[in-house]
Amino acid sequence: MTLPAWLDDLLWTYQTLIHSLGINGLLALAMYVVLACGQLSLGQAAFMGLGAYSGALLTMKAGLPFYLVLPASCVAPVAFALIIGVPTLRLSGVYLAIATIGLGEVLRSAYLNIDALGGALGLNGIPERAETWMIFALLALSLTALVLVGRSRFGRAMEAMREDPTAAAAMGIDVARYHLAALVTSAVLAGIAGCLAAHQSSFIGPNEYGFEPAVTILSFALLGGIGNPFAPIAGAWFLTLLPELMRDLPELRLALNGIIIVLAVLFLPHGLLGWRMRRTPEKLAGGAR
Amino acid sequence: MLLETNGLTRRYAGLVAVDNVDLALKPGGIHALIGPNGAGKTTLFNLLTGLVMPSEGQVRFQGTDITALPAHRRTALGMARTFQNIRLFRSMSVLENVLTGAHSKLSTGLLPTVLRLKSFRAEERAAVAQARAALELVGLEAQAALPAGSLPYGDQRLLEIARALVSRPALLLLDEPAAGMNPAETVQLAALVRRIAQTGTTVLLVEHDMGFVMGLSDSITVLNFGRKIFEGTPAEVRAAPVVVEAYLGARLAARLRASHAATLEVADGPRA
């Protein structure tokens, strides 16, 4: 496969940035899945870290091929989601946010203190196996699946429980089960994103998965919106591209990020892409209107 | 019996909201639950539908003990309800609200859904048809595409009924369905409830509008301070001294207080 010279050039120059767009898109979807059913669960950075560490170890220590490493890197995040999911089901709102951030910090200090995981130095020399097409194929696949699931009884249940969990339960929706399923899906998406990130930057360290990344992932969805699955990706891309445009003013970057989020919350309460996804299948669209 | 409770009790700190209530609801017909404010009607509704768990006692539905079942399981067994303070999914469309009410009747799994298999499309198409039929029954078919939150108040109450009906419940529980409706809307609502009962759905309703209750119900249970104080036909309830006392007792007390205050004022007058 040969690409035109200019495109090849562009891809080569901005490879890291292009990869970040795909990976941050997946993380934004991981955030979307839980927010779309009304859970302010902020464990995505922790899930990402588990996917990154377990994926990197499977490649470096076990020497597994990448097509096995990628699905296997979901195991640890999903296990963690099930462990924290059951006891935190009773929590909601800020309490859930605080609990999930706390659990993420526990993992961070575990990475710092376990020698096999490289401690504060992290893991170095991870083979670069995440290809651009892989990252974007996975993003497109996840996005498509979320749109299709969103336009069915599952999507209706998610939106119903976000609006009113009590009324949703009275409609026959098993709210606890949906919460857990959303958390597990979030863990799969973030775990894959973490594994891809580890295999494109060759280095991972504990601080990439702490409090700050957790808030950054939340801001993807805050800025983009949660009315449809395209919105959080738009938010992620905006916040990923912005620092590149501001490269000459590095000291202003973080401040500007903050200002944008404040402005978005004040003036774009439904996000950059504020439209609400229809909850009936597309083939029925004519009949359902 | 369709629905049976045995010594159903719910205590809150320092208050017995529902006190040792025995109910027995035969299948068919319209049954009302009345009582002065704070009598425990809504708490009893929440105990029956599983939104509140009892401190003591049992609930049996169609012969099954459902005391420990969570709300969503009871809905799947054939119960559906509306809420006193309307609880629609406001941002979702009118049709989507009704479809959500059919959740427990839909069973297509995740994979057929993502692959858009024939089974998925057939089930969704049937669900949309049933949702439209439910909307037609309450007269809201023209508003199907509007956001539920944009409907006028009376229509929102009707939408809640359609959302509950679409699961084809054996028992429909209506919590103050006429609240906030004008007299014309109330008359239409009574006709609708009668039509629902004629299709074989048993209706249990809580209502303060006595004209509505007396004209519509086959049997009435009266609660006061959490206890069942009377049970009978509308005519029997109207004639029962214990019911009249439960309602008028409060008003008489208020009148006595007022006349007492007036007497004090007169007594104080000359001295001032």
Side-chain angles (χ1 to χ4, degrees):
Chain A
M1 195 166 64
T2 50
L3 292 169
W6 64 269
L7 186 58
D8 201 40
D9 225 35
L10 190 83
L11 284 180
W12 183 249
T13 317
Y14 289 105
Q15 197 184 38
T16 313
L17 177 64
I18 290 168
H19 286 179
S20 309
L21 288 176
I23 288 162
N24 286 344
L26 280 168
L27 290 171
L29 288 182
M31 192 74 238
Y32 165 80
V33 171
V34 285
L35 286 180
C37 54
Q39 267 180 310
L40 189 56
S41 170
L42 300 180
Q44 286 67 33
F47 295 146
M48 186 193 182
L50 285 168
Y53 271 96
S54 64
L57 288 178
L58 286 171
T59 297
M60 292 161 71
K61 299 270 156 71
L64 289 182
F66 196 54
Y67 67 87
L68 286 182
V69 169
L70 205 49
S73 65
C74 296
V75 174
V78 167
F80 187 63
L82 290 173
I83 291 167
I84 68 166
V86 175
T88 57
L89 273 179
R90 289 161 179 275
L91 301 178
S92 62
V94 270
Y95 303 104
L96 180 61
I98 291 167
T100 45
I101 285 176
L103 289 163
E105 285 297 304
V106 170
L107 281 183
R108 194 176 68 92
S109 65
Y111 302 142
L112 272 172
N113 291 295
I114 296 173
D115 289 337
L117 299 177
L121 294 174
L123 295 174
N124 267 300
I126 306 162
E128 293 187 28
R129 290 191 180 157
E131 307 280 350
T132 313
W133 67 265
M134 251 182 232
I135 296 172
F136 283 90
L138 284 166
L139 178 63
L141 199 70
S142 312
L143 178 62
T144 312
L146 285 178
V147 170
L148 291 172
V149 170
R151 289 182 169 173
S152 73
R153 71 183 174 110
F154 300 107
R156 294 192 288 269
M158 285 167 73
E159 187 164 353
M161 60 198 260
R162 185 175 84 219
E163 285 216 21
D164 188 336
T166 304
M171 296 304 117
I173 295 164
D174 188 345
V175 173
R177 198 165 151 219
Y178 271 84
H179 272 165
L180 201 58
L183 195 65
V184 166
T185 310
S186 180
V188 168
L189 290 168
I192 285 179
C195 181
L196 290 169
H199 290 84
Q200 68 102 29
S201 70
S202 85
F203 160 80
I204 55 174
N207 290 327
E208 290 172 51
Y209 311 111
F211 176 65
E212 211 183 295
V215 173
T216 306
I217 296 170
L218 173 66
S219 65
F220 295 162
L222 270 187
L223 178 65
I226 53 165
N228 63 80
F230 297 93
I233 297 179
W237 287 11
F238 190 90
L239 288 178
T240 310
L241 289 173
L242 190 76
E244 295 305 314
L245 303 175
M246 301 279 301
R247 201 169 260 188
D248 300 333
L249 302 162
E251 63 277 14
L252 282 181
R253 263 163 45 172
L254 266 179
L256 197 79
N257 261 359
I259 290 170
I260 284 174
I261 290 165
V262 170
L263 289 179
V265 168
L266 285 178
F267 297 109
L268 290 170
H270 298 287
L272 286 175
L273 302 181
W275 87 80
R276 185 190 154 267
M277 176 166 63
R278 202 175 48 233
R279 296 299 189 181
T280 41
E282 41 298 320
K283 281 285 162 53
L284 290 168
R289 284 272 128 176
Chain B
M1 284 295 147
L2 178 69
L3 183 77
E4 244 182 314
T5 71
N6 254 320
L8 201 60
T9 301
R10 171 69 205 200
R11 282 186 212 95
Y12 293 102
L15 172 84
V16 188
V18 171
D19 191 357
N20 205 17
V21 169
D22 297 332
L23 273 185
L25 224 64
K26 284 189 219 106
I30 300 170
H31 190 92
L33 201 59
I34 65 169
N37 282 327
K41 304 180 296 287
T42 293
T43 306
L44 182 54
F45 250 46
N46 288 340
L47 287 169
L48 296 178
T49 50
L51 296 182
V52 168
M53 288 297 163
S55 313
E56 268 167 49
Q58 286 97 43
V59 186
R60 296 176 74 80
F61 182 61
Q62 294 181 318
T64 322
D65 187 345
I66 59 164
T67 313
L69 288 190
H72 68 268
R73 296 273 305 276
R74 301 186 191 204
T75 306
L77 287 177
M79 269 190 192
R81 70 169 290 172
T82 65
F83 293 90
Q84 182 185 341
N85 47 334
I86 298 172
R87 301 185 86 149
L88 289 169
F89 309 118
R90 296 178 61 84
S91 68
M92 297 171 78
S93 77
V94 166
L95 183 72
E96 286 166 353
N97 265 274
V98 182
L99 284 170
T100 307
H103 183 86
S104 60
K105 297 289 164 207
L106 305 179
S107 59
T108 306
L110 212 49
L111 203 62
T113 299
V114 172
L115 298 178
R116 289 298 190 251
L117 294 187
K118 213 177 225 168
S119 59
F120 166 77
R121 282 176 294 155
E123 190 181 72
E124 284 284 317
R125 204 174 298 123
V128 168
Q130 277 169 16
R132 285 189 176 284
L135 282 175
E136 211 167 309
L137 184 72
V138 302
L140 286 176
E141 67 275 23
Q143 284 94 319
L146 296 178
S150 74
L151 294 185
Y153 188 82
D155 286 353
Q156 294 196 10
R157 288 224 171 268
L158 293 176
L159 176 54
E160 272 215 335
I161 294 176
R163 186 178 67 171
L165 268 184
V166 77
S167 65
R168 297 168 182 277
L171 175 64
L172 176 66
L173 300 103
L174 304 173
D175 196 351
E176 297 198 24
M181 283 191 170
N182 65 37
E185 286 173 327
T186 307
V187 170
Q188 284 174 357
L189 177 69
L192 172 65
V193 173
R194 231 176 249 123
R195 242 179 300 150
I196 292 168
Q198 275 160 11
T199 63
T201 300
T202 309
V203 178
L204 176 62
L205 57 89
V206 163
E207 188 47 69
H208 278 298
D209 184 330
M210 280 306 138
F212 183 85
V213 169
M214 294 296 169
L216 199 60
S217 313
D218 299 310
S219 67
I220 298 177
T221 302
V222 188
L223 289 185
N224 196 21
F225 296 114
R227 291 211 183 89
K228 184 170 87 176
I229 58 167
F230 195 78
E231 205 168 27
T233 64
E236 289 166 349
V237 166
R238 218 174 281 150
V242 64
V243 177
V244 178
E245 259 167 45
Y247 273 90
L248 287 190
R251 266 189 231 169
L252 271 179
R255 204 187 292 167
L256 280 177
R257 254 199 311 279
S259 67
H260 187 59
T263 329
L264 280 179
E265 215 167 289
V266 172
D268 285 347
R271 255 177 262 161

